[in-house]
Amino acid sequence: MSVPLTFDGKVVLVTGAGGGLGREYALAFGQRGASVVVNDLGGNAKGEGKNSAAADKVVEEIKAKGGKAVANYDSVEDGEKLIQSALDAFGRIDIVINNAGILRDRSFSRLSELDWDLLQRVHLKGSFNVTRAAWNHMKEQKFGRIIMTASAAGLYGNFGQANYSAAKLGLLGLSNTLAIEGRKLNIHCNTIAPIANSRLTQNIMPADILENLKPEYVSPLVLWLCHEQCEETGALFEVGAGWMGKLRWERSPGHVLLRKNHPMSPEAVRDQWDNICDFKDASHPATISESLMSMLSMLNKEPAGDGLVANPTSSLGHNP
Ligand code: NAI
């Protein structure tokens, strides 16, 4: 039998843990020995109001099962306060799950500045504030695990969710850079795009589908990514309905339009459009240098007979 993954001695903060996915993460960490800070502002799905009941209830659930937990009712916008709760109650912070979220869906023409600002403040700036407050503690102890919560709406776009999509893909950018800065410090940062039955999805999907989207199908991935045995960092996963998979960038081999003594022109772009967009023999650059190197490698190559060099990325930057 394989050895169970436990979190004894670890302190985890789960933001927005009063319901939905966050509650599930908090319960799962609590059951496996972590000391849990259950943060939740307790407002409605649009980010209005506040209430301590949601976080308190989850703390009671964890304690009832023999776990260790404390509640925190601050907004993620006050990141320092959340981390201070962890330090006051348990003396350290090891794992941060940036999960708190709200929705203010409107088609773009009706989107107000408030709808935009609130979404960025809770999702993107909230995750920044909480993570930054934890970072130096993780750095000193040479251990940290961070999860950012993106969304398919950010990865693919979704009608009526311009504010949400922008914040969610912003979190991926944040995570990618934190993974690089954290690598030598044993601080890992990964991003998930979950799908689950919660109050955010209750009115937008049919009941029979929602039944198959249990939040407990997402928490195993989050726990594994946060375990000390897990080496993964800087990665992005879609997860839901009992399934999980990893995503990466794909780049077409592209086409070099530069010809000696010829200026680049929009007409040449038009004429080579099919080649530029053809994903046959695509590459998967995983770092900024892989991306740049394959472009710069073209500088020293003589153009072919027609002045065009094909397939600049086929020999470089592969990262299967
Ligand atoms: P949920 O509404 O059940 O949970 C979000 C929690 O965050 C709520 O309990 C809420 O009170 C709390 N919260 C909101 N603003 C806060 C703030 N400023 N400070 C502290 N807590 C705050 O929603 P769900 O579905 O569990 O969402 C969790 C995360 O997963 C969110 O970031 C959401 O955007 C993301 N997500 C969820 C999907 C789904 O299918 N349920 C799909 C894609 C992403």
Side-chain angles (χ1 to χ4, degrees), residues 91-140:
R92 55 188 290 130
I93 180 71
D94 299 289
I95 298 167
V96 170
I97 313 296
N98 291 295
N99 166 79
I102 56 170
L103 284 179
R104 293 178 74 93
D105 293 358
R106 278 186 224 287
S107 59
F108 188 57
S109 62
R110 296 175 56 234
L111 195 68
S112 71
E113 205 166 331
L114 180 67
D115 295 327
W116 177 269
D117 286 346
L118 271 181
L119 259 287
Q120 310 312 313
R121 272 167 43 194
V122 173
H123 289 271
L124 191 51
K125 195 157 182 207
S127 301
F128 158 70
N129 278 336
V130 172
T131 306
R132 190 182 55 172
W135 189 263
N136 282 344
H137 299 283
M138 294 178 168
K139 192 173 164 181
E140 272 167 34

CSV table of all heavy atoms in Angstrom, one decimal, residues 91-140:
chain,number,residue,atom,x,y,z
A,91,GLY,N,2.3,30.0,14.4
A,91,GLY,CA,3.7,30.4,14.5
A,91,GLY,C,4.4,30.3,13.1
A,91,GLY,O,5.6,30.6,13.1
A,92,ARG,N,3.7,29.9,12.0
A,92,ARG,CA,4.4,29.8,10.7
A,92,ARG,C,3.4,29.8,9.6
A,92,ARG,O,2.2,29.7,9.9
A,92,ARG,CB,5.3,28.6,10.6
A,92,ARG,CG,4.6,27.3,10.9
A,92,ARG,CD,5.6,26.1,11.0
A,92,ARG,NE,6.2,25.8,9.7
A,92,ARG,CZ,7.5,25.7,9.5
A,92,ARG,NH1,8.3,25.9,10.4
A,92,ARG,NH2,7.9,25.4,8.3
A,93,ILE,N,3.9,29.9,8.4
A,93,ILE,CA,3.0,29.7,7.2
A,93,ILE,C,3.7,28.9,6.2
A,93,ILE,O,4.8,29.3,5.8
A,93,ILE,CB,2.4,31.1,6.7
A,93,ILE,CG1,1.5,30.9,5.5
A,93,ILE,CG2,3.6,32.0,6.3
A,93,ILE,CD1,0.2,30.3,5.8
A,94,ASP,N,3.2,27.8,5.8
A,94,ASP,CA,3.8,27.0,4.8
A,94,ASP,C,3.2,26.9,3.4
A,94,ASP,O,3.8,26.8,2.4
A,94,ASP,CB,3.9,25.5,5.3
A,94,ASP,CG,4.6,25.4,6.6
A,94,ASP,OD1,5.9,25.6,6.6
A,94,ASP,OD2,4.0,25.2,7.7
A,95,ILE,N,1.8,27.0,3.4
A,95,ILE,CA,1.1,26.8,2.2
A,95,ILE,C,0.0,27.8,2.1
A,95,ILE,O,-0.7,28.1,3.1
A,95,ILE,CB,0.4,25.4,2.3
A,95,ILE,CG1,1.5,24.3,2.4
A,95,ILE,CG2,-0.5,25.2,1.1
A,95,ILE,CD1,1.0,22.9,2.7
A,96,VAL,N,-0.1,28.5,0.9
A,96,VAL,CA,-1.2,29.5,0.7
A,96,VAL,C,-2.0,29.0,-0.5
A,96,VAL,O,-1.5,28.8,-1.6
A,96,VAL,CB,-0.5,30.8,0.4
A,96,VAL,CG1,-1.6,31.8,-0.1
A,96,VAL,CG2,0.1,31.4,1.7
A,97,ILE,N,-3.3,28.9,-0.3
A,97,ILE,CA,-4.2,28.6,-1.4
A,97,ILE,C,-5.0,29.8,-1.7
A,97,ILE,O,-5.9,30.2,-0.9
A,97,ILE,CB,-5.2,27.4,-1.0
A,97,ILE,CG1,-4.4,26.2,-0.4
A,97,ILE,CG2,-6.0,27.0,-2.2
A,97,ILE,CD1,-3.5,25.5,-1.2
A,98,ASN,N,-4.7,30.5,-2.8
A,98,ASN,CA,-5.4,31.7,-3.2
A,98,ASN,C,-6.7,31.3,-3.9
A,98,ASN,O,-6.6,30.9,-5.1
A,98,ASN,CB,-4.5,32.6,-4.1
A,98,ASN,CG,-3.4,33.2,-3.3
A,98,ASN,OD1,-3.6,34.0,-2.4
A,98,ASN,ND2,-2.2,32.8,-3.6
A,99,ASN,N,-7.8,31.3,-3.2
A,99,ASN,CA,-9.0,30.7,-3.8
A,99,ASN,C,-10.2,31.7,-3.7
A,99,ASN,O,-11.1,31.5,-4.5
A,99,ASN,CB,-9.3,29.4,-3.0
A,99,ASN,CG,-10.7,28.9,-3.2
A,99,ASN,OD1,-11.0,28.3,-4.2
A,99,ASN,ND2,-11.7,29.3,-2.3
A,100,ALA,N,-10.2,32.7,-2.8
A,100,ALA,CA,-11.3,33.6,-2.7
A,100,ALA,C,-11.7,34.2,-4.0
A,100,ALA,O,-10.8,34.5,-4.8
A,100,ALA,CB,-11.0,34.7,-1.7
A,101,GLY,N,-13.0,34.3,-4.3
A,101,GLY,CA,-13.4,34.9,-5.5
A,101,GLY,C,-14.8,35.4,-5.5
A,101,GLY,O,-15.7,34.9,-4.7
A,102,ILE,N,-15.1,36.3,-6.4
A,102,ILE,CA,-16.4,36.8,-6.6
A,102,ILE,C,-16.7,36.9,-8.1
A,102,ILE,O,-15.7,36.8,-8.9
A,102,ILE,CB,-16.6,38.2,-6.0
A,102,ILE,CG1,-15.6,39.2,-6.6
A,102,ILE,CG2,-16.5,38.1,-4.5
A,102,ILE,CD1,-15.8,40.7,-6.2
A,103,LEU,N,-17.9,37.1,-8.5
A,103,LEU,CA,-18.3,37.3,-9.9
A,103,LEU,C,-19.1,38.6,-10.0
A,103,LEU,O,-20.0,38.9,-9.2
A,103,LEU,CB,-19.1,36.2,-10.4
A,103,LEU,CG,-18.5,34.8,-10.7
A,103,LEU,CD1,-19.6,33.9,-11.2
A,103,LEU,CD2,-17.4,35.0,-11.8
A,104,ARG,N,-18.8,39.4,-11.1
A,104,ARG,CA,-19.7,40.5,-11.4
A,104,ARG,C,-19.8,40.5,-13.0
A,104,ARG,O,-19.2,41.3,-13.6
A,104,ARG,CB,-19.1,41.8,-10.9
A,104,ARG,CG,-19.2,41.9,-9.4
A,104,ARG,CD,-18.5,43.2,-8.8
A,104,ARG,NE,-19.4,44.3,-9.0
A,104,ARG,CZ,-20.2,44.8,-8.1
A,104,ARG,NH1,-20.4,44.2,-7.0
A,104,ARG,NH2,-20.9,45.9,-8.4
A,105,ASP,N,-20.6,39.5,-13.5
A,105,ASP,CA,-20.6,39.3,-14.9
A,105,ASP,C,-21.5,40.3,-15.6
A,105,ASP,O,-22.6,40.6,-15.1
A,105,ASP,CB,-21.3,37.9,-15.2
A,105,ASP,CG,-20.4,36.7,-14.7
A,105,ASP,OD1,-19.3,37.0,-14.2
A,105,ASP,OD2,-20.9,35.6,-14.9
A,106,ARG,N,-21.0,40.9,-16.7
A,106,ARG,CA,-21.8,41.8,-17.6
A,106,ARG,C,-21.1,41.8,-18.9
A,106,ARG,O,-19.9,41.6,-19.0
A,106,ARG,CB,-21.7,43.2,-17.1
A,106,ARG,CG,-22.7,43.6,-16.0
A,106,ARG,CD,-22.6,45.1,-15.7
A,106,ARG,NE,-22.6,45.3,-14.2
A,106,ARG,CZ,-23.7,45.2,-13.5
A,106,ARG,NH1,-24.8,44.8,-14.0
A,106,ARG,NH2,-23.6,45.4,-12.2
A,107,SER,N,-21.9,41.9,-20.0
A,107,SER,CA,-21.3,42.0,-21.3
A,107,SER,C,-20.4,43.3,-21.3
A,107,SER,O,-20.7,44.2,-20.5
A,107,SER,CB,-22.4,42.1,-22.4
A,107,SER,OG,-23.2,43.3,-22.1
A,108,PHE,N,-19.4,43.3,-22.1
A,108,PHE,CA,-18.3,44.3,-22.0
A,108,PHE,C,-18.9,45.7,-22.1
A,108,PHE,O,-18.4,46.6,-21.4
A,108,PHE,CB,-17.3,44.1,-23.1
A,108,PHE,CG,-16.1,44.9,-23.0
A,108,PHE,CD1,-15.3,44.9,-21.8
A,108,PHE,CD2,-15.7,45.8,-24.0
A,108,PHE,CE1,-14.2,45.7,-21.7
A,108,PHE,CE2,-14.6,46.6,-23.8
A,108,PHE,CZ,-13.8,46.5,-22.7
A,109,SER,N,-19.9,46.0,-23.0
A,109,SER,CA,-20.4,47.3,-23.1
A,109,SER,C,-21.1,47.8,-21.9
A,109,SER,O,-21.2,49.0,-21.7
A,109,SER,CB,-21.3,47.4,-24.3
A,109,SER,OG,-22.4,46.6,-24.1
A,110,ARG,N,-21.5,46.9,-21.0
A,110,ARG,CA,-22.2,47.3,-19.8
A,110,ARG,C,-21.3,47.2,-18.5
A,110,ARG,O,-21.8,47.5,-17.4
A,110,ARG,CB,-23.5,46.5,-19.6
A,110,ARG,CG,-24.5,46.7,-20.7
A,110,ARG,CD,-25.7,45.7,-20.6
A,110,ARG,NE,-26.3,45.8,-19.3
A,110,ARG,CZ,-26.6,44.8,-18.5
A,110,ARG,NH1,-26.2,43.6,-18.8
A,110,ARG,NH2,-27.2,45.0,-17.3
A,111,LEU,N,-20.1,46.8,-18.7
A,111,LEU,CA,-19.2,46.6,-17.6
A,111,LEU,C,-18.8,48.0,-17.0
A,111,LEU,O,-18.2,48.8,-17.7
A,111,LEU,CB,-18.0,45.9,-18.1
A,111,LEU,CG,-17.0,45.2,-17.1
A,111,LEU,CD1,-17.7,44.1,-16.4
A,111,LEU,CD2,-15.8,44.7,-17.7
A,112,SER,N,-19.0,48.2,-15.7
A,112,SER,CA,-18.7,49.4,-15.1
A,112,SER,C,-17.2,49.4,-14.5
A,112,SER,O,-16.7,48.3,-14.4
A,112,SER,CB,-19.6,49.7,-13.9
A,112,SER,OG,-19.4,48.9,-12.9
A,113,GLU,N,-16.7,50.5,-14.2
A,113,GLU,CA,-15.4,50.6,-13.6
A,113,GLU,C,-15.3,49.8,-12.3
A,113,GLU,O,-14.4,49.2,-11.9
A,113,GLU,CB,-14.9,52.0,-13.5
A,113,GLU,CG,-13.4,52.1,-13.5
A,113,GLU,CD,-12.9,53.6,-13.7
A,113,GLU,OE1,-13.6,54.4,-14.3
A,113,GLU,OE2,-11.9,53.9,-13.1
A,114,LEU,N,-16.5,49.9,-11.6
A,114,LEU,CA,-16.6,49.2,-10.3
A,114,LEU,C,-16.5,47.7,-10.5
A,114,LEU,O,-15.8,47.0,-9.7
A,114,LEU,CB,-17.9,49.6,-9.5
A,114,LEU,CG,-18.1,49.0,-8.2
A,114,LEU,CD1,-17.0,49.5,-7.2
A,114,LEU,CD2,-19.5,49.2,-7.6
A,115,ASP,N,-17.3,47.2,-11.5
A,115,ASP,CA,-17.2,45.8,-11.8
A,115,ASP,C,-15.8,45.3,-12.1
A,115,ASP,O,-15.4,44.3,-11.7
A,115,ASP,CB,-18.1,45.5,-13.0
A,115,ASP,CG,-19.6,45.7,-12.7
A,115,ASP,OD1,-20.0,45.6,-11.6
A,115,ASP,OD2,-20.3,46.1,-13.7
A,116,TRP,N,-15.1,46.2,-12.8
A,116,TRP,CA,-13.7,45.9,-13.2
A,116,TRP,C,-12.8,45.9,-11.9
A,116,TRP,O,-12.1,44.9,-11.6
A,116,TRP,CB,-13.2,46.9,-14.2
A,116,TRP,CG,-11.8,46.6,-14.6
A,116,TRP,CD1,-10.7,47.2,-14.0
A,116,TRP,CD2,-11.2,45.8,-15.6
A,116,TRP,NE1,-9.5,46.8,-14.5
A,116,TRP,CE2,-9.8,45.9,-15.5
A,116,TRP,CE3,-11.8,44.9,-16.5
A,116,TRP,CZ2,-9.0,45.1,-16.3
A,116,TRP,CZ3,-11.0,44.2,-17.3
A,116,TRP,CH2,-9.6,44.3,-17.3
A,117,ASP,N,-12.9,47.0,-11.2
A,117,ASP,CA,-12.0,47.2,-10.1
A,117,ASP,C,-12.2,46.2,-9.0
A,117,ASP,O,-11.2,45.6,-8.4
A,117,ASP,CB,-12.1,48.6,-9.5
A,117,ASP,CG,-11.5,49.7,-10.4
A,117,ASP,OD1,-10.8,49.3,-11.3
A,117,ASP,OD2,-11.9,50.9,-10.2
A,118,LEU,N,-13.4,45.9,-8.7
A,118,LEU,CA,-13.7,44.9,-7.6
A,118,LEU,C,-13.1,43.5,-7.9
A,118,LEU,O,-12.5,42.9,-7.1
A,118,LEU,CB,-15.2,44.8,-7.3
A,118,LEU,CG,-15.8,45.7,-6.3
A,118,LEU,CD1,-17.3,45.4,-6.2
A,118,LEU,CD2,-15.1,45.6,-5.0
A,119,LEU,N,-13.3,43.1,-9.2
A,119,LEU,CA,-12.8,41.8,-9.6
A,119,LEU,C,-11.2,41.8,-9.5
A,119,LEU,O,-10.7,40.8,-9.0
A,119,LEU,CB,-13.2,41.5,-11.0
A,119,LEU,CG,-14.4,40.6,-11.2
A,119,LEU,CD1,-14.0,39.2,-10.9
A,119,LEU,CD2,-15.6,41.0,-10.3
A,120,GLN,N,-10.6,42.8,-10.0
A,120,GLN,CA,-9.1,42.8,-9.9
A,120,GLN,C,-8.6,42.9,-8.4
A,120,GLN,O,-7.7,42.2,-8.1
A,120,GLN,CB,-8.5,44.0,-10.6
A,120,GLN,CG,-9.0,44.3,-12.1
A,120,GLN,CD,-9.0,43.0,-12.9
A,120,GLN,OE1,-8.1,42.2,-13.0
A,120,GLN,NE2,-10.2,42.8,-13.6
A,121,ARG,N,-9.4,43.7,-7.6
A,121,ARG,CA,-9.0,43.8,-6.2
A,121,ARG,C,-9.1,42.5,-5.4
A,121,ARG,O,-8.2,42.1,-4.7
A,121,ARG,CB,-9.8,44.8,-5.5
A,121,ARG,CG,-9.3,46.3,-5.7
A,121,ARG,CD,-10.3,47.3,-5.3
A,121,ARG,NE,-11.0,47.0,-4.0
A,121,ARG,CZ,-12.1,47.7,-3.6
A,121,ARG,NH1,-12.6,48.7,-4.4
A,121,ARG,NH2,-12.7,47.4,-2.5
A,122,VAL,N,-10.1,41.7,-5.7
A,122,VAL,CA,-10.3,40.5,-4.9
A,122,VAL,C,-9.4,39.4,-5.5
A,122,VAL,O,-8.6,38.8,-4.8
A,122,VAL,CB,-11.8,40.0,-4.9
A,122,VAL,CG1,-11.9,38.7,-4.3
A,122,VAL,CG2,-12.6,41.1,-4.2
A,123,HIS,N,-9.5,39.2,-6.8
A,123,HIS,CA,-8.8,38.0,-7.4
A,123,HIS,C,-7.3,38.3,-7.5
A,123,HIS,O,-6.5,37.5,-7.0
A,123,HIS,CB,-9.4,37.7,-8.8
A,123,HIS,CG,-10.7,37.1,-8.7
A,123,HIS,ND1,-11.0,35.7,-8.6
A,123,HIS,CD2,-12.0,37.6,-8.7
A,123,HIS,CE1,-12.3,35.5,-8.6
A,123,HIS,NE2,-12.9,36.6,-8.7
A,124,LEU,N,-7.0,39.3,-8.3
A,124,LEU,CA,-5.5,39.5,-8.6
A,124,LEU,C,-4.8,40.2,-7.5
A,124,LEU,O,-3.8,39.7,-7.0
A,124,LEU,CB,-5.5,40.3,-9.9
A,124,LEU,CG,-4.1,40.4,-10.6
A,124,LEU,CD1,-3.5,39.0,-10.8
A,124,LEU,CD2,-4.3,41.1,-12.0
A,125,LYS,N,-5.3,41.3,-7.1
A,125,LYS,CA,-4.5,42.0,-6.0
A,125,LYS,C,-4.6,41.3,-4.7
A,125,LYS,O,-3.7,41.3,-3.9
A,125,LYS,CB,-5.0,43.5,-5.9
A,125,LYS,CG,-4.1,44.3,-5.1
A,125,LYS,CD,-4.2,45.8,-5.3
A,125,LYS,CE,-3.1,46.5,-4.5
A,125,LYS,NZ,-3.5,47.8,-4.2
A,126,GLY,N,-5.8,40.7,-4.4
A,126,GLY,CA,-5.9,39.9,-3.2
A,126,GLY,C,-4.9,38.8,-3.1
A,126,GLY,O,-4.2,38.6,-2.1
A,127,SER,N,-4.7,38.0,-4.2
A,127,SER,CA,-3.8,36.9,-4.3
A,127,SER,C,-2.3,37.5,-4.1
A,127,SER,O,-1.5,36.9,-3.5
A,127,SER,CB,-3.9,36.2,-5.6
A,127,SER,OG,-5.2,35.6,-5.7
A,128,PHE,N,-2.1,38.6,-4.8
A,128,PHE,CA,-0.8,39.3,-4.6
A,128,PHE,C,-0.5,39.7,-3.2
A,128,PHE,O,0.6,39.3,-2.6
A,128,PHE,CB,-0.7,40.5,-5.5
A,128,PHE,CG,0.3,41.5,-5.1
A,128,PHE,CD1,1.7,41.3,-5.3
A,128,PHE,CD2,-0.1,42.8,-4.5
A,128,PHE,CE1,2.6,42.2,-4.8
A,128,PHE,CE2,0.9,43.7,-4.1
A,128,PHE,CZ,2.2,43.4,-4.3
A,129,ASN,N,-1.5,40.3,-2.6
A,129,ASN,CA,-1.2,40.8,-1.2
A,129,ASN,C,-1.0,39.6,-0.2
A,129,ASN,O,-0.1,39.7,0.7
A,129,ASN,CB,-2.4,41.6,-0.7
A,129,ASN,CG,-2.4,43.1,-1.2
A,129,ASN,OD1,-1.3,43.5,-1.5
A,129,ASN,ND2,-3.5,43.7,-1.3
A,130,VAL,N,-1.8,38.6,-0.3
A,130,VAL,CA,-1.7,37.5,0.6
A,130,VAL,C,-0.4,36.8,0.4
A,130,VAL,O,0.4,36.5,1.3
A,130,VAL,CB,-2.9,36.5,0.4
A,130,VAL,CG1,-2.7,35.2,1.2
A,130,VAL,CG2,-4.2,37.1,0.8
A,131,THR,N,0.0,36.5,-0.9
A,131,THR,CA,1.2,35.8,-1.2
A,131,THR,C,2.4,36.6,-0.8
A,131,THR,O,3.4,36.0,-0.3
A,131,THR,CB,1.2,35.4,-2.7
A,131,THR,OG1,0.0,34.8,-3.0
A,131,THR,CG2,2.4,34.5,-3.1
A,132,ARG,N,2.4,37.9,-1.1
A,132,ARG,CA,3.6,38.7,-0.8
A,132,ARG,C,3.8,38.7,0.8
A,132,ARG,O,4.9,38.6,1.2
A,132,ARG,CB,3.4,40.1,-1.2
A,132,ARG,CG,4.7,40.9,-1.1
A,132,ARG,CD,4.6,42.3,-1.5
A,132,ARG,NE,3.5,43.0,-0.8
A,132,ARG,CZ,3.3,44.3,-0.9
A,132,ARG,NH1,4.0,45.1,-1.7
A,132,ARG,NH2,2.3,44.9,-0.2
A,133,ALA,N,2.7,38.7,1.5
A,133,ALA,CA,2.8,38.7,3.0
A,133,ALA,C,3.4,37.4,3.5
A,133,ALA,O,4.1,37.3,4.5
A,133,ALA,CB,1.5,39.0,3.6
A,134,ALA,N,3.2,36.3,2.7
A,134,ALA,CA,3.7,35.0,3.1
A,134,ALA,C,5.1,34.7,2.6
A,134,ALA,O,5.9,33.9,3.2
A,134,ALA,CB,2.8,33.9,2.6
A,135,TRP,N,5.5,35.4,1.6
A,135,TRP,CA,6.7,35.1,0.8
A,135,TRP,C,8.0,35.1,1.6
A,135,TRP,O,8.7,34.1,1.6
A,135,TRP,CB,6.9,36.1,-0.4
A,135,TRP,CG,7.9,35.7,-1.3
A,135,TRP,CD1,9.2,36.2,-1.3
A,135,TRP,CD2,7.8,34.8,-2.4
A,135,TRP,NE1,9.9,35.6,-2.4
A,135,TRP,CE2,9.1,34.7,-3.0
A,135,TRP,CE3,6.8,34.0,-2.9
A,135,TRP,CZ2,9.3,33.9,-4.2
A,135,TRP,CZ3,7.0,33.2,-4.0
A,135,TRP,CH2,8.3,33.1,-4.6
A,136,ASN,N,8.2,36.1,2.4
A,136,ASN,CA,9.5,36.2,3.2
A,136,ASN,C,9.6,35.1,4.2
A,136,ASN,O,10.7,34.6,4.6
A,136,ASN,CB,9.7,37.5,3.8
A,136,ASN,CG,10.2,38.5,2.7
A,136,ASN,OD1,10.7,38.1,1.6
A,136,ASN,ND2,10.1,39.8,3.0
A,137,HIS,N,8.4,34.7,4.8
A,137,HIS,CA,8.4,33.6,5.8
A,137,HIS,C,8.8,32.3,5.0
A,137,HIS,O,9.6,31.5,5.6
A,137,HIS,CB,7.1,33.4,6.4
A,137,HIS,CG,6.6,34.7,7.2
A,137,HIS,ND1,7.1,35.0,8.4
A,137,HIS,CD2,5.8,35.7,6.8
A,137,HIS,CE1,6.6,36.1,8.8
A,137,HIS,NE2,5.8,36.6,7.9
A,138,MET,N,8.3,32.1,3.9
A,138,MET,CA,8.6,30.9,3.1
A,138,MET,C,10.1,30.9,2.7
A,138,MET,O,10.7,29.9,2.7
A,138,MET,CB,7.7,30.8,1.8
A,138,MET,CG,6.2,30.6,2.2
A,138,MET,SD,5.2,30.6,0.7
A,138,MET,CE,3.6,30.0,1.3
A,139,LYS,N,10.5,32.1,2.3
A,139,LYS,CA,11.9,32.2,1.9
A,139,LYS,C,12.9,31.9,3.0
A,139,LYS,O,13.8,31.1,2.8
A,139,LYS,CB,12.1,33.7,1.5
A,139,LYS,CG,13.4,34.0,0.8
A,139,LYS,CD,13.3,35.5,0.3
A,139,LYS,CE,14.7,36.0,-0.1
A,139,LYS,NZ,14.7,37.4,-0.5
A,140,GLU,N,12.6,32.4,4.2
A,140,GLU,CA,13.4,32.1,5.4
A,140,GLU,C,13.4,30.6,5.7
A,140,GLU,O,14.5,30.0,6.1
A,140,GLU,CB,13.0,32.9,6.6
A,140,GLU,CG,13.6,34.3,6.7
A,140,GLU,CD,12.9,35.2,7.7
A,140,GLU,OE1,12.5,34.7,8.7
A,140,GLU,OE2,12.9,36.4,7.4
